[in-house]
Amino acid sequence: MGAEQKFLVCWCACVCVCAQKRLWEGTEVGTNLADGASDNKVDHVHDTMQATDAPPSPPAKDQTQRFAFDERIWEATNVEINLVEDAPPIRDKEADEADHVLDTMQTQDFPPPSTAKDQFQEELVIKPLHSGDIYASFQFRTQWDTDFLEKHKFSHYRLFPKSLGQVISKFSVRELHISFTQGYWRTMQWGQPFLPSPPGAELWVWFQDTVTDVDLAWKELTNVLSGIFCASLNFIDSTNTVQPSASFKPLGVGNVTDQRFLRYAVLPREIVCTENLTPWKKLLPCGSKAGLAVLMKSEKLFHSSFHSQALHIRPVCKDWQCKSTSWELRQTLNVVFDLHTSGQGKREWSLFKMFSRTLTEACPLASSSKVYVDITDNPQGELFELSPATPLVSQAVVLGDGRTYSVYDLTDHATFGQTHSLNVLLRWRAAESGEMLRPLLHGERYVAGYGLQTGEIHTLVYNNHPYRAFPVLLLDTVPWYLRLYIHTLTVTSKGRDNKPSYIHYQPSKDRLQPHLLEMLIQLPPNSVTEVTVQFERALLKWTEYTPDPNHGFYVGSSVISALVPSVVAMDTNNTQERPLFSSFFPCKEESTYFMRIYTEPLLVNLPTPDFSMPYNVICLTCTVVAVGYGSLYNLLTRTFQVEEPSQGLAKRLANIIRRLRGVPLLT
Amino acid sequence: KFSHLKSYFESTDSPEHFLQNTKYNAGDADVFLSTKMAAPLTLLFIVAITIRAVLFRSSLADLITERVEVVSPLNAWKRVVEGLALLDLGVSPYAGDVFHETPLMIYFFHFVIDYAEIVFMVSAVCIVFLLQFRKQKYALEGDRYPLDCLELIRTPREMLYIPLKVAMFYLLNPFTILSCVAKSTCGLNNAVIALFILSTIKGSALMSAIFLALATYQSIYPLTLFAPALLYLLQRLYIPVNWRRPSFWLFTTQYVFMYLGSLAVMVCLSFFLLNSWDFLTSVYGFILSVPDLTPNIGLFWYFFAEMFEHFRLFFICVFQINVFFYTIPLSIKLKEHPVFLIFMQIAIISIFKSYPTVGDIALYMAFLPAWNHLYRFLRNIFLVSVVLLACSALFPVLWHLWIYAGSANSNFYYAITLLFNVAQILLVSDYFYAYLRREHHLTHGLYLKRKDGSEATLVLK
């Protein structure tokens, strides 16, 4: 337990630093990055400010002057700069910590809190990937100003979907995170996703501490969600539910971290398709009628290499003082279109090519509606050209890496130009793409061994940081029918034994609960850490097999959660862009960030009985038992006697006649 | 002092009978053991231990440890190590479904984990020593049989070689060797049962009750050995099995109390060691409800893998009762021959128990040389031996075809387990038949005649 506390302390410290960073950044003056812009202002402001801080509209001539980079201005954009959902646990801690920090450090610069009741924001981030594929990430955020502690307030709904509001109030849910993913995110080719999710369905829920029977609430909740999302979440039962002790901390405000109120389950086998997307879209205030959601046509979305839709509900601070809380519903949809199947091998992407639609309007209910295009590798337009050009640029630190985005504001009519539609087009000039920074943390998993008796699960965790070691939390959930032998657990880094500083192991119970293995491992710099554990495959009852038993059984992804040293801190060029006085100490405020990655799910074959045999087996086995019974019964009840030869038939007949006649019988 | 063993059985009517049959005296067995048999036995031990030590050090050891015929979920060494690892992690070994040893066993292995190989080798040798005394002291016969039965009665010279044969049969039995090399805790359970048999034969009621309780505590099934132990001790004390005799009831009550008392002490001790009752469901619940369907040489695994869910409980009851079912009729039939009854019970346990391994079979097979005087009455010993040998060879072959090659399926392995069990059943019932027949001949003469004077054949009616 000591190790866990240490980890948490470390976490909190980092979070503190992050919170402070934000305040400092408010006063930081960005240097001149773009060619001619003189009025640069890098202003990081909190998301609550954005309603009062509308950006000026770009000149109309931008529509015609596509390459008007000279006129690009650095604008005070109202981006959620940190894209905080990428670093969720930090954020929740941050909320707590920020609370303290803000009490003392609040300045007059902050505007008074907005009084709007419900808010809706939507955004789309398009990121060209180094492999030539393209990554589109939608985020929809609905904020509902209601006090979640008082049940009677769950009665009036405006933007927040009623079906979810009722679920929250009925089951006393504090946080709910659900994701449906088809395909596997290829970290080594694509870098880190904004919001990681494992293949299949993932659900984790924090209940209020007023819930007495958490298991019952969880069971009912999964069944209700199963209905809402048309998914097989009703297959979540005690055999695939675990209570991780450290890996999944609440992301919203609040300080309940008792794992008794947490339930986590993964269904790696879940197939995600249109029937899951439709109910998900219906939860949006505009549905798929207007705004960014018009792009979500399932025939295109599911013709992709990776598709992930998620939904996160959590309590967040309503204002800076965090005196009261409100509900935040965040719906995200991430999709990666393949260069060859979707793009016909040409490195030329447009909204129309990706989604078969263009944008014509923002959702009227949205307070902000934006499209971001990642142009970090393309600051001068030398790699690809982006049209229509936009004067708005924003900078953000995403997953520890400074990124630059072109921004299209859909609430501004000028964005749509004369054609009244926006079709963002990226056309590559060069065949090659820029260098991709290797992801600092990366995980892989596979099953070793042959035959159907035993096997070994290998998990490889890569630390690609050249000089920093950092700890990771590894969470493994293995179904009961693969019997893990924890004494065979080995953790090796660089050929040396690397003893985990914290192990939480919950062994499985047959047909009741899965194995849960959580470990805190220190990853040495520039190393591969290999975690192996042996297992034995169980023979199940014939009714326990899936309809396609020889396809194999899925084992959910390992979850690797880590505080990763920032790439920004690693960047030597960074010193040139900053005032010298600010860059002496190498460990800067953004020195670590939270990251969660998922490994591949496993597909494991089990030995199978012959499914056509039940009657035969019952008959044959019972026959053997009967042979045993019969022979013993025979010997127990009978006695030995001398066999007397039986008389012949003729003799017996003759004796009957002789008896009738009164003559002595024959012997 | 051991001279009246066999002479006792008519004594329910006339207790004075047993006085007349005093032929051999007690010292004989020990004298034989210490002088003439010492050299071959020592040689045998050296050979047996060398074989085991070599196998422990060879690469075959890992292979043998994984064999499902040799280890079951109940006694696999891997699971013992896992239980200890869980204990080190601060998790109760019974929190999961991997460890099924009793709490006393954990604490035993907690101390001897580093010397496990030695423990298993020593226990194998000990079993032989324990069985030695039993054989020596058992087969003393009276001379009150018909004259033509003399060839049925074993001479002291034949008796002389029985200990050596038993030792060879146990120590060099491939089943025992495999079981020992796989460090299956079945070997230790066998040692407990051997201790129980020894103390019973020695006539120590207390020790007998304690070891019987220990064996029961380890794996429930030895409960059925209670009846033969009681019968033997009664016989030794010349107390007739007679419901109207108070002495019978007195001793029976004493023995029951000793047995239940020591069982209660062990169970409570287990509770205090881990401070929870989890082990009851994890050990005994596991044995009785058969949740783990890992293939083994028994009848349960495939039957319950293929069972219809709503008949499951019924058939579990039927199959489990099967072990205990024969105790009372066998005790009635063999009440004068408690040692043979022990053999029968051990054999029935090892055939019908839920997780049998070859180690269990080796235990009852060690008795077979003691019944060498029954060979002439065995009907199909050749067939049965051949089937047992063929099955033993086919187990690994069909396992490989099913699990590794994928060219066979589970039915192949299942068929062999069926055949193996049929052969075992035939073997046991054949010995039972032979024993009853020999008893019949001992009272009625070896060469029976019909009424008409021709040679008669015996039939069961």
Side-chain angles (χ1 to χ4, degrees):
Chain A
M1 295 309 284
E4 185 195 9
Q5 280 164 359
K6 199 164 75 184
F7 186 63
L8 290 179
V9 166
C10 162
W11 218 341
C12 292
C14 154
V15 153
C16 247
V17 164
C18 284
Q20 287 172 2
K21 174 206 77 179
R22 287 192 158 195
L23 293 167
W24 296 335
E25 271 179 354
T27 59
E28 191 178 327
V29 178
T31 47
N32 199 344
L33 290 180
D35 327 28
S38 56
D39 53 344
N40 290 341
K41 190 171 68 173
V42 177
D43 196 359
H44 295 244
V45 289
H46 194 268
D47 42 328
T48 51
M49 288 173 62
Q50 59 201 9
T52 61
D53 196 12
S57 54
K61 61 181 178 178
D62 281 3
Q63 289 296 329
T64 50
Q65 294 178 348
R66 284 185 171 181
F67 311 115
F69 283 102
D70 291 350
E71 292 184 22
R72 173 192 286 176
I73 49 168
W74 290 91
E75 183 51 71
T77 54
N78 43 11
V79 188
E80 278 178 67
I81 287 302
N82 272 338
L83 287 176
V84 285
E85 62 280 4
D86 301 322
I90 293 179
R91 179 170 168 88
D92 85 284
K93 296 287 177 188
E94 191 178 331
D96 298 338
E97 298 297 332
D99 204 12
H100 306 301
V101 175
L102 287 170
D103 281 345
T104 54
M105 296 186 66
Q106 211 178 46
T107 61
Q108 296 300 321
D109 298 341
F110 297 112
S114 153
T115 50
K117 291 304 276 181
D118 287 10
Q119 275 187 31
F120 176 67
Q121 294 160 268
E122 55 179 8
E123 67 177 44
L124 163 65
V125 181
I126 294 171
K127 183 182 176 189
L129 299 171
H130 291 270
S131 58
D133 305 335
I134 196 150
Y135 173 35
S137 171
F138 294 88
Q139 289 230 9
F140 304 90
R141 181 173 186 262
T142 311
Q143 203 174 336
W144 184 24
D145 281 358
T146 187
D147 194 350
F148 64 88
L149 291 175
E150 290 174 58
K151 288 224 169 182
H152 64 270
K153 294 208 175 168
F154 285 92
S155 52
H156 184 64
Y157 294 89
R158 279 181 68 236
L159 298 179
F160 201 88
K162 190 176 179 185
S163 54
L164 288 179
Q166 286 174 332
V167 166
I168 294 171
S169 81
K170 177 159 196 297
F171 299 107
S172 300
V173 171
R174 200 156 71 95
E175 265 186 36
L176 187 149
H177 303 269
I178 185 168
S179 74
F180 299 98
T181 306
Q182 189 71 28
Y184 177 68
W185 182 270
R186 295 176 181 83
T187 312
M188 288 312 276
Q189 291 173 34
W190 297 343
Q192 297 293 346
F194 295 128
L195 229 147
S197 57
E202 183 198 43
L203 175 66
W204 56 288
V205 175
W206 278 91
F207 290 93
Q208 309 274 10
D209 47 11
T210 51
V211 179
T212 48
D213 191 348
V214 181
D215 287 316
L216 183 72
W218 169 249
K219 189 171 169 51
E220 288 177 4
L221 175 67
T222 52
N223 279 290
V224 169
L225 290 176
S226 173
I228 292 178
F229 292 105
C230 289
S232 317
L233 297 174
N234 53 326
F235 285 115
I236 292 176
D237 54 17
S238 67
T239 60
N240 47 22
T241 302
V242 289
Q243 302 172 39
S245 64
S247 292
F248 289 89
K249 291 295 173 195
L251 305 186
V253 293
N255 51 7
V256 176
T257 51
D258 188 345
Q259 70 192 62
R260 279 186 299 130
F261 300 105
L262 170 66
R263 291 294 181 276
Y264 173 80
V266 178
L267 294 175
R269 208 182 175 164
E270 181 72 8
I271 309 286
V272 183
C273 203
T274 318
E275 77 270 17
N276 306 114
L277 182 66
T278 311
W280 184 89
K281 279 196 292 195
K282 279 186 182 163
L283 300 174
L284 296 170
C286 293
S288 51
K289 300 284 189 296
L292 293 172
V294 297
L295 298 178
M296 294 179 196
K297 290 294 166 192
S298 41
E299 74 268 20
K300 279 292 185 184
L301 285 185
F302 291 104
H303 187 59
S304 58
S305 308
F306 176 83
H307 170 95
S308 168
Q309 57 186 73
L311 184 145
H312 304 272
I313 299 173
R314 59 176 177 178
V316 293
C317 289
K318 198 189 283 182
D319 46 29
W320 281 107
Q321 282 84 14
C322 212
K323 291 259 171 61
S324 59
T325 53
S326 56
W327 286 103
E328 183 199 68
L329 165 67
R330 211 181 263 260
Q331 285 178 263
T332 65
L333 189 142
N334 295 295
V335 60
V336 174
F337 291 103
D338 188 80
L339 172 67
H340 300 285
T341 58
S342 302
Q344 286 95 35
K346 270 199 284 182
R347 299 200 72 174
E348 184 181 311
W349 293 103
S350 66
L351 286 185
F352 187 78
K353 194 171 173 186
M354 288 189 273
F355 302 107
S356 303
R357 291 286 186 288
T358 54
L359 289 170
T360 52
E361 57 171 341
C363 170
L365 297 170
S367 58
S368 116
S369 174
K370 289 198 170 70
V371 177
Y372 296 86
V373 180
D374 191 331
I375 53 162
T376 314
D377 303 323
N378 188 38
Q380 311 296 328
E382 65 269 16
L383 264 183
F384 57 84
E385 65 173 85
L386 178 64
S387 64
T390 174
L392 293 180
V393 172
S394 87
Q395 278 191 316
V397 176
V398 184
L399 295 165
D401 188 12
R403 312 295 298 179
T404 313
Y405 294 92
S406 286
V407 185
Y408 298 87
D409 188 350
L410 302 187
T411 50
D412 183 2
H413 288 290
T415 311
F416 298 105
Q418 286 149 355
T419 55
H420 299 291
S421 81
L422 175 65
N423 182 21
V424 178
L425 175 72
L426 289 87
R427 182 180 289 129
W428 263 257
R429 292 179 168 160
E432 94 286 352
S433 54
E435 284 291 302
M436 188 183 80
L437 201 71
R438 266 196 314 172
L440 291 186
L441 177 64
H442 169 54
E444 285 175 4
R445 197 153 72 131
Y446 59 91
V447 173
Y450 66 102
L452 298 176
Q453 190 177 6
T454 56
E456 196 168 41
I457 297 177
H458 287 245
T459 310
L460 303 178
V461 188
Y462 294 81
N463 175 3
N464 291 329
H465 200 288
Y467 58 86
R468 286 278 296 274
F470 57 86
V472 295
L473 260 175
L474 181 70
L475 169 79
D476 253 323
T477 313
V478 180
W480 66 267
Y481 39 78
L482 303 184
R483 299 202 171 89
L484 289 190
Y485 286 96
I486 195 69
H487 72 268
T488 60
L489 177 76
T490 60
V491 185
T492 46
S493 310
K494 293 184 167 173
R496 230 176 278 145
D497 195 32
N498 181 358
K499 199 173 179 307
S501 47
Y502 164 67
I503 294 184
H504 172 228
Y505 179 63
Q506 173 201 299
S508 72
K509 279 272 187 197
D510 284 4
R511 299 171 182 92
L512 278 180
Q513 72 179 29
H515 303 269
L516 169 68
L517 177 60
E518 256 184 314
M519 286 181 289
L520 185 64
I521 307 171
Q522 184 78 13
L523 302 183
N526 202 9
S527 68
V528 186
T529 301
E530 186 171 29
V531 180
T532 65
V533 61
Q534 289 176 15
F535 66 88
E536 199 176 273
R537 298 161 209 246
L539 182 76
L540 310 182
K541 297 176 195 166
W542 70 305
T543 47
E544 287 171 333
Y545 286 89
T546 49
D548 50 348
N550 292 308
H551 175 73
F553 288 74
Y554 284 91
V555 180
S557 308
S558 295
V559 186
I560 302 170
S561 318
L563 286 172
V564 182
S566 173
V567 190
V568 177
M570 219 167 81
D571 187 7
T572 48
N573 293 331
N574 211 17
T575 49
Q576 295 163 8
E577 296 163 9
R578 287 168 175 271
L580 289 176
F581 61 80
S582 70
S583 59
F584 179 68
F585 290 108
C587 274
K588 286 179 289 293
E589 49 273 23
E590 62 266 86
S591 63
T592 57
Y593 60 98
F594 180 80
M595 184 190 267
R596 177 172 293 151
I597 58 171
Y598 293 91
T599 64
E600 300 92 332
L602 300 176
L603 183 58
V604 182
N605 271 308
L606 295 185
T608 52
D610 186 339
F611 296 98
S612 60
M613 284 279 281
Y615 287 103
N616 302 350
V617 169
I618 291 168
C619 292
L620 290 171
T621 310
C622 287
T623 307
V624 172
V625 173
V627 165
Y629 175 79
S631 51
L632 284 173
Y633 178 82
N634 213 6
L635 291 164
L636 284 167
T637 53
R638 298 186 187 192
T639 53
F640 283 103
Q641 283 174 13
V642 174
E643 187 192 38
E644 295 293 340
S646 64
Q647 295 164 331
L649 186 65
K651 207 181 212 174
R652 262 187 274 170
L653 282 175
N655 275 343
I656 292 169
I657 297 164
R658 277 169 170 262
R659 195 180 287 132
L660 291 174
R661 285 171 54 201
V663 183
L665 301 181
L666 293 175
T667 55
Chain B
K1 58 188 178 187
F2 300 106
S3 49
H4 311 303
L5 304 186
K6 289 291 289 177
S7 58
Y8 161 71
F9 36 87
E10 284 105 11
S11 60
T12 44
D13 303 316
S14 49
E16 64 275 12
H17 273 209
F18 51 76
L19 293 174
Q20 69 194 35
N21 299 318
T22 52
K23 191 102 180 206
Y24 305 108
N25 56 48
D28 285 357
D30 296 333
V31 171
F32 286 140
L33 191 66
S34 56
T35 56
K36 289 187 88 173
M37 290 285 93
L41 268 179
T42 316
L43 190 65
L44 178 67
F45 289 154
I46 291 170
V47 170
I49 288 179
T50 312
I51 291 174
R52 284 164 171 76
V54 167
L55 280 175
F56 269 131
R57 296 277 164 267
S58 74
S59 58
L60 282 175
D62 287 337
L63 190 73
I64 294 169
T65 314
E66 298 279 315
R67 298 299 315 164
V68 287
E69 298 87 11
V70 182
V71 296
S72 72
L74 211 52
N75 55 25
W77 178 247
K78 204 175 173 184
R79 295 185 181 234
V80 176
V81 177
E82 176 73 6
L84 292 172
L86 286 178
L87 213 57
D88 286 345
L89 278 178
V91 183
S92 161
Y94 301 110
D97 255 351
V98 166
F99 185 78
H100 305 287
E101 299 286 346
T102 52
L104 292 182
M105 211 62 170
I106 308 178
Y107 276 82
F108 176 68
F109 280 116
H110 193 70
F111 294 112
V112 301
I113 183 85
D114 297 331
Y115 315 105
E117 294 179 7
I118 298 169
V119 166
F120 281 102
M121 283 198 283
V122 167
S123 76
V125 173
C126 280
I127 291 171
V128 168
F129 267 115
L130 304 177
L131 295 175
Q132 292 292 313
F133 289 105
R134 186 182 59 71
K135 298 299 172 280
Q136 281 289 335
K137 287 167 184 169
Y138 163 62
L140 306 167
E141 308 274 351
D143 58 350
R144 56 200 163 70
Y145 300 115
L147 275 181
D148 62 347
C149 293
L150 274 180
E151 57 185 293
L152 291 179
I153 296 166
R154 287 182 284 187
T155 62
R157 185 163 179 74
E158 280 172 342
M159 303 285 291
L160 181 62
Y161 290 105
I162 288 179
L164 188 63
K165 283 183 185 168
V166 169
M168 281 177 71
F169 226 77
Y170 190 78
L171 283 180
L172 300 183
N173 187 341
F175 288 165
T176 327
I177 294 173
L178 290 177
S179 189
C180 179
V181 172
K183 293 191 256 186
S184 158
T185 57
C186 173
L188 297 180
N189 293 352
N190 285 353
V192 172
I193 293 176
L195 271 171
F196 152 73
I197 295 171
L198 176 73
S199 49
T200 312
I201 303 286
K202 285 256 186 192
S204 161
L206 179 64
M207 294 309 284
S208 161
I210 289 175
F211 285 119
L212 181 60
L214 190 58
T216 314
Y217 167 77
Q218 288 283 51
S219 63
I220 297 185
Y221 293 119
L223 174 66
T224 58
L225 296 177
F226 181 84
L230 182 64
L231 286 174
Y232 189 90
L233 290 168
L234 286 170
Q235 200 177 78
R236 249 187 82 90
L237 296 170
Y238 312 123
I239 302 171
V241 184
N242 188 332
W243 308 112
R244 286 184 288 276
R245 295 283 187 100
S247 59
F248 167 76
W249 286 111
L250 185 69
F251 185 77
T252 308
T253 324
Q254 269 180 359
Y255 194 64
V256 167
F257 268 104
M258 283 189 281
Y259 172 68
L260 290 181
S262 38
L263 196 59
V265 167
M266 279 165 208
V267 171
C268 291
L269 196 62
S270 313
F271 170 74
F272 291 121
L273 280 178
L274 291 174
N275 215 5
S276 96
W277 292 110
D278 288 346
F279 74 94
L280 288 180
T281 49
S282 202
V283 178
Y284 308 119
F286 183 77
I287 293 174
L288 292 177
S289 66
V290 205
D292 190 324
L293 302 173
T294 310
N296 57 37
I297 55 172
L299 293 169
F300 280 68
W301 65 275
Y302 207 53
F303 187 73
F304 288 106
E306 297 271 5
M307 178 48 64
F308 298 101
E309 204 52 42
H310 51 286
F311 289 129
R312 192 178 178 76
L313 183 64
F314 169 73
F315 274 105
I316 280 185
C317 294
V318 169
F319 272 53
Q320 295 288 7
I321 285 170
N322 217 14
V323 179
F324 305 97
F325 179 73
Y326 301 107
T327 308
I328 292 170
L330 277 176
S331 308
I332 294 169
K333 187 89 175 176
L334 293 171
K335 68 172 183 289
E336 289 126 17
H337 314 283
V339 178
F340 190 76
L341 182 54
I342 290 180
F343 162 76
M344 285 298 293
Q345 287 292 1
I346 292 177
I348 286 173
I349 289 172
S350 74
I351 295 170
F352 291 116
K353 74 190 288 192
S354 43
Y355 302 99
T357 58
V358 292
D360 299 303
I361 294 167
L363 181 64
Y364 82 80
M365 282 197 169
F367 282 75
L368 297 184
W371 318 127
N372 58 0
H373 54 294
L374 304 180
Y375 284 160
R376 61 184 295 160
F377 298 118
L378 293 177
R379 291 171 297 182
N380 38 22
I381 183 71
F382 177 72
L383 177 73
V384 166
S385 322
V386 169
V387 170
L388 284 177
L389 282 176
C391 287
S392 307
L394 280 175
F395 273 130
V397 173
L398 294 178
W399 180 258
H400 181 85
L401 289 183
W402 173 26
I403 295 295
Y404 293 101
S407 51
N409 68 8
S410 48
N411 294 342
F412 288 66
Y413 193 77
Y414 165 66
I416 284 302
T417 62
L418 273 191
L419 196 57
F420 190 71
N421 281 295
V422 169
Q424 282 191 79
I425 288 168
L426 289 183
L427 180 73
V428 171
S429 61
D430 214 13
Y431 268 94
F432 190 27
Y433 169 84
Y435 198 89
L436 293 179
R437 178 141 182 205
R438 178 171 173 271
E439 288 304 312
H440 185 265
H441 282 303
L442 282 178
T443 43
H444 295 96
L446 186 56
Y447 303 106
L448 299 173
K449 297 268 192 303
R450 285 203 199 116
K451 285 178 199 158
D452 57 0
S454 61
E455 214 171 294
T457 49
L458 272 181
V459 289
L460 277 171
K461 273 189 181 165

